[in-house]
Amino acid sequence: MKAKLSTIVLTLFLSLTIFSQAASAGEVEVLHWWTSGGEARSVAVLKEQLEKEGHTWKDFAVAGGGGDTAMTVLRSRAVSGNPPTAAQVKGPQIQQWGDEGVLTNLDAVAQAGKWDQLLPAVVADVMKYEGHYVAVPVNVHRINWMWVNPEVFRKAGAKIPTTWDQFNEAARKIKKAGFIPVAFGGQNWQEATVFESIVAGVGGTDFYRQTMIDANPKQLNSPTMVRCFEVFRNIKQYTDKNAPGRDWNLATAMVIKGEAAMQFMGDWAKGEFTAAGKSPGVDYVAVPVPETSGQYLFNIDSFIMFEVSDKENKKAQMAMARLILEPKFQEVFNVNKGSIPVRTGMPRAAFDQVALQSINDFIASAGTGDLVPSMAHEMAVFPAVRGAIFDVVTNFYNSNMSAENGAKSLASQVSAAM
Ligand code: GAL
């Protein structure tokens, strides 16, 4: 009887503890597109930190670099009245979700965490809808990077280029030596990522602003834009026949393995080098895309949060918002992801030379007016305009369209989308 009684007490005790844990813990369902090796390692940090606080993470990963597939899936979930707790949404799109009245107010967490003091004002503004926080920024990525395998350059007797003329010279040598000069992923967002860096470098920062941000038809159809299309087309002969449709991280792997010499890609590519145990300055080199040194095309990841009715899930949601801007998360996440912290005043000790260069270039470019939002990564224009640019860029790259017609078509399709 005694034994029985103690079993009953123990069972009661256990079920009470389990119950009380369940009662204080909620669930977050998080939509994101971080599925590559480096990305998955990064997002796992957030999951871990939330679980440490007793909450549950329901992963809603939708593969597809650049996030266009994820955005389509998010739309359909939201339309059916069943959005996730949080979703990776960026730039001007945050305002569009705000217009729909489905986002939750994060002001209380923001105030407690002093977000207004910790975030650059330009970043904080993007995260607010009608003056209230509805999104949390995670990081700052730089787009205009070139990832280099120095060993391949060495074997080919080529020099790392800083201009497009030098690029030609180097690429020719690399091809002759039997390597693939450029690791390329033929998907529209990757093509647009390369193209916008060319526009910034060849045209200069003002031209980038006029075209990729202001979408000025006169500049879109100009001799400078024709030149940008020519430089873009010229790259194609230095890519391999398997480029069409290739995922960006597979292209990065070609550089890591020494099959290809270079890749033009944002610094999430660094996450792949890091995940593969490679060191910057030794196994790989990161330099700005030719002719873009001093320029910084930025891309800020962020999560919007939807209205949630369950009280415990709401707590979990607010915990997620709070954790994202805490120093520990900012450090570990960004080291893995290849980005730099969006929280200002962070210690730099954990960051490698590429991240430090990114931090310094970010600050310097803000001072010279060369810090500009990425069109390809949804920082600069509304989705309809971005879609029009993507269509023209990808049609041009995958056809024999002349550079003149590329520029003409860019101006007309963008105007029609505005
Ligand atoms: C970007 C995103 C990055 C990275 C990349 C490739 O749009 O901002 O965080 O994930 O897509 O998926």
Side-chain angles (χ1 to χ4, degrees):
M1 183 63 195
K2 245 189 182 170
K4 256 197 180 160
L5 199 69
S6 60
T7 319
I8 294 170
V9 172
L10 186 68
T11 319
L12 209 70
F13 172 75
L14 280 177
S15 52
L16 272 175
T17 359
I18 289 166
F19 176 75
S20 68
Q21 262 185 14
S24 68
E27 181 185 85
V28 288
E29 187 187 17
V30 185
L31 179 139
H32 62 89
W33 63 88
W34 288 331
T35 55
S36 79
E39 291 174 329
R41 278 177 86 215
S42 313
V43 73
V45 176
L46 189 53
K47 176 180 184 222
E48 232 167 69
Q49 294 198 355
L50 262 171
E51 285 176 348
K52 254 196 209 143
E53 298 197 2
H55 301 296
T56 313
W57 175 279
K58 193 171 170 193
D59 204 42
F60 187 4
V62 180
D68 289 325
T69 318
M71 291 304 97
T72 310
V73 173
L74 176 62
R75 278 258 151 243
S76 71
R77 275 284 299 267
V79 164
S80 65
N82 179 31
T85 319
Q88 191 187 346
V89 167
K90 310 190 287 186
Q93 279 202 69
I94 296 173
Q95 300 306 311
Q96 291 187 324
W97 283 100
D99 286 341
E100 296 192 20
V102 287
L103 300 184
T104 202
N105 185 315
L106 302 171
D107 284 348
V109 186
Q111 243 167 29
K114 300 196 166 62
W115 291 4
D116 274 342
Q117 283 106 292
L118 290 173
L119 294 175
V122 279
V123 177
D125 287 350
V126 178
M127 303 301 141
K128 291 177 185 175
Y129 179 73
E130 293 180 344
H132 302 287
Y133 277 102
V134 291
V136 199
V138 182
N139 60 359
V140 180
H141 272 302
R142 185 187 198 174
I143 303 297
N144 52 313
W145 281 117
M146 183 169 89
W147 305 91
V148 168
N149 185 316
E151 186 64 14
V152 175
F153 270 80
R154 209 185 45 75
K155 283 183 184 156
K159 233 183 82 213
I160 298 175
T162 58
T163 65
W164 287 110
D165 282 343
Q166 288 175 11
F167 163 81
N168 260 331
E169 207 179 300
R172 240 180 274 129
K173 284 188 183 163
I174 294 161
K175 200 171 172 176
K176 221 169 141 204
F179 298 97
I180 301 163
V182 178
F184 199 86
Q187 295 174 349
N188 64 358
W189 74 271
Q190 294 188 65
E191 289 155 356
T193 299
V194 179
F195 184 73
E196 69 176 7
S197 289
I198 294 173
V199 170
V202 170
T205 309
D206 283 342
F207 183 74
Y208 179 91
R209 262 199 206 93
Q210 289 158 353
T211 52
M212 299 290 108
I213 304 175
D214 300 338
N216 177 333
K218 228 178 118 198
Q219 300 300 332
L220 286 169
N221 184 15
S222 62
T224 309
M225 188 56 83
V226 172
R227 168 93 187 108
C228 295
F229 274 109
E230 283 166 358
V231 170
F232 184 45
R233 165 70 48 70
N234 179 58
I235 292 175
K236 199 170 184 176
Q237 59 184 307
Y238 299 118
T239 62
D240 67 322
K241 66 173 190 338
N242 295 325
R246 177 187 284 136
D247 287 335
W248 67 270
N249 52 316
L250 300 182
T252 312
M254 292 164 66
V255 179
I256 294 176
K257 287 189 253 168
E259 295 166 9
M262 53 195 143
Q263 180 189 19
F264 307 108
M265 190 46 61
D267 43 19
W268 46 92
K270 200 183 83 179
E272 300 305 298
F273 285 96
T274 308
K278 303 294 180 191
S279 306
V282 182
D283 306 306
Y284 69 96
V285 174
V287 292
V289 169
E291 302 180 17
T292 70
S293 89
Q295 293 175 314
Y296 197 115
L297 271 60
F298 71 85
N299 168 25
I300 295 169
D301 285 308
S302 51
F303 284 99
I304 54 170
M305 306 265 168
F306 289 89
E307 284 290 0
V308 165
S309 52
D310 181 277
K311 254 172 95 185
E312 300 312 320
N313 291 349
K314 180 104 210 156
K315 275 189 203 157
Q317 181 183 50
M318 294 302 147
M320 176 177 164
R322 167 176 52 78
L323 281 169
I324 287 175
L325 278 169
E326 283 184 356
K328 190 74 208 144
F329 174 78
Q330 284 287 306
E331 180 174 300
V332 186
F333 175 88
N334 284 303
V335 163
N336 287 333
K337 188 76 167 67
S339 40
I340 58 172
V342 70
R343 181 185 168 120
T344 54
M346 287 277 298
R348 296 185 180 192
F351 293 95
D352 64 23
Q353 62 190 63
V354 182
L356 294 179
Q357 188 190 334
S358 183
I359 294 172
N360 292 337
D361 288 355
F362 183 84
I363 296 167
S365 63
T368 55
D370 291 306
L371 178 66
V372 280
S374 159
M375 176 284 297
H377 293 273
E378 302 175 80
M379 297 281 108
V381 287
F382 282 110
V385 174
R386 175 176 172 266
I389 300 177
F390 272 32
D391 284 352
V392 176
V393 168
T394 203
N395 284 342
F396 169 82
Y397 189 76
N398 295 293
S399 72
N400 294 325
M401 191 190 296
S402 70
E404 285 74 16
N405 283 341
K408 217 182 268 165
S409 151
L410 193 59
S412 67
Q413 297 217 28
V414 166
S415 301
M418 283 177 75

